Amino acid sequence: MNITLSEDQRDCLQELINVAMGQASDKLARYLETFVHLDVPYIELVGSDTLPLLFAQKYNGSSVSVVSQGFYGNDGIRGESLLVYRRDNAKEVASLLGYEPEEANENEQLADISSILTTTFLNGLAELISNQMSYSAPRLISSLNTSLDSHLEQLSFNWELALKVDISYQVTDYSFNCDMILLIPGEAIQNIQSVLDRILEEY
Amino acid sequence: MNITELNSFVVQQINSGVVIIDAEYNIDLINHFVVLHGGVKKEQAKGQNLFSLFPELPEHWLKRKLQSVFTLNTPAFSSWEQRQYIFKMPHSRPITTTNDFMAQNCTILPIVEKGEVKQACIIIEDATDVCYYQQQLNVAMNKLEKSNQTDGLTQVANRRYWEERCIIEFDTAQRHDRPLSLMLFDLDKFKNINDTFGHRGGDQVLVELAAKIKDLLRSADLIGRYGGEEFGIICPNTGGKGAAELSERIRKEVQMHKIMFEGQAIFVTLSIGVIEISDQYKSYEEMLSRADMALYQSKREGRNRVTLYKA
């Protein structure tokens, strides 16, 4: 499968994501009662064989927790959202969520905040492309005791190429940050391309 | 049945719980599953507050979760893996599983009317079977991991696991600038024991000694079988002097320990080499090879003794 993203498609996707990020930041601020800053997204196509390496370079073997959540919408738009937390950050989540201490264990807090970040952003994005998303439950795929790249190396992917979107979240009041990595694999890339082309035509 | 009746039939009869509440947490609908498992009456439920009908709910946490559904117009989830259940209910396999309550996966969906979230739908799935099998799997995995780390004969750590721990303890000691000592010891003239008492006799000596020495160690120390009659001990947070003292105690205890085999008493002695960490060593292997040199010095000097490696 030979897929490339045209410059127009990339710009269009970038713009859609920017708008969705703005909306998400606004909504999150209301729920979390603090300002959430989302960094400019980074969009690229990645091969399944290079993904473990990319993670290894980015997190450099440091211990991270990763929560995965699947999403699927109309027109064959589907993928997986990975939320990556570094060790120091995992502590801030309970107070950010407004939980009492001891009310939820660390894994549950991570699953909860992940689901909120992922679904808030993707619901907004879906609306912009006249779509509607459903989600699987968030699942902790690696905890602080296991390294992510070694976890990924054990997986065999059933796709060769994925559209990868990196967005980092920063909550200054809680000195909390995490990365959201959206992976839209295989055929779903072509499906999102036709959605982008449709929008470009209308524009 | 028309389509509305069919929908209602499915919602009522489906083997998952359905609870619909409004923004004030008052119940608009509960289905048959919740009535049966939750032990509530359908007539009572309608219009009643969710938290007074189910007083055992984790109220503060669940309200926060429901707020996210109402404020953000997003679904929320709860998995049995993090929280075994939200609604405390008995489950349908009380005989064949060990859990007291139904393990649940819950999904909370926003119900939007005219652009606003007016209600929330809580769906409760029974995950008791999955939960039970996962627990069984965890038990099996733990056993497997343990047996993967253990020497079959002596039941102390096997060489692979012992060396894995060496790497970890070496890195930790170096990073935090803490002391660390390693010991290697060898049963003196073990070949004679095998020749005299046979391999079964030799095996019994190894088994008893390993257990005896394990009893003398502190909880942080780790003994492993390094080779046939050669063992190693990792002593974290211990300097060379402390490790040499411990070795001396082990040597004395072993020398006095009588092992009975088929009515005959067997006495054995140990030759021990000890080394403490120093900045000059780049890996645990460098320490081990020097501990081995100290061990051979103990042998050369007449066996049944402890040698602390001196750089």
Side-chain angles (χ1 to χ4, degrees), chain A residues 31 97 103 108 112 139, chain B residues 60 64-65 73 81 83:
Chain A
Y31 176 67
L97 283 168
E103 195 170 38
E108 182 168 30
D112 283 358
R139 206 178 155 76
Chain B
H60 181 268
R64 201 51 201 145
K65 211 150 180 124
N73 185 9
E81 281 179 286
R83 184 178 294 267

Side-chain angles (χ1 to χ4, degrees), chain A residues 27-28 31 69 97-100 103-105 107-108 111-112 115-116 119-120 123 135-139, chain B residues 58-69 71-79 81-83 134:
Chain A
K27 280 185 170 178
L28 290 170
Y31 176 67
Q69 190 166 18
L97 283 168
Y99 290 170
E100 304 281 345
E103 195 170 38
N105 68 39
N107 289 346
E108 182 168 30
D112 283 358
S115 181
I116 286 170
T119 58
T120 305
N123 269 5
Y135 304 91
S136 64
R139 206 178 155 76
Chain B
E59 182 169 347
H60 181 268
W61 172 84
L62 185 56
K63 276 188 175 166
R64 201 51 201 145
K65 211 150 180 124
L66 289 165
Q67 276 163 18
S68 79
V69 176
T71 318
L72 299 168
N73 185 9
T74 55
F77 301 90
S78 172
S79 158
E81 281 179 286
Q82 273 87 53
R83 184 178 294 267
Q134 185 70 47

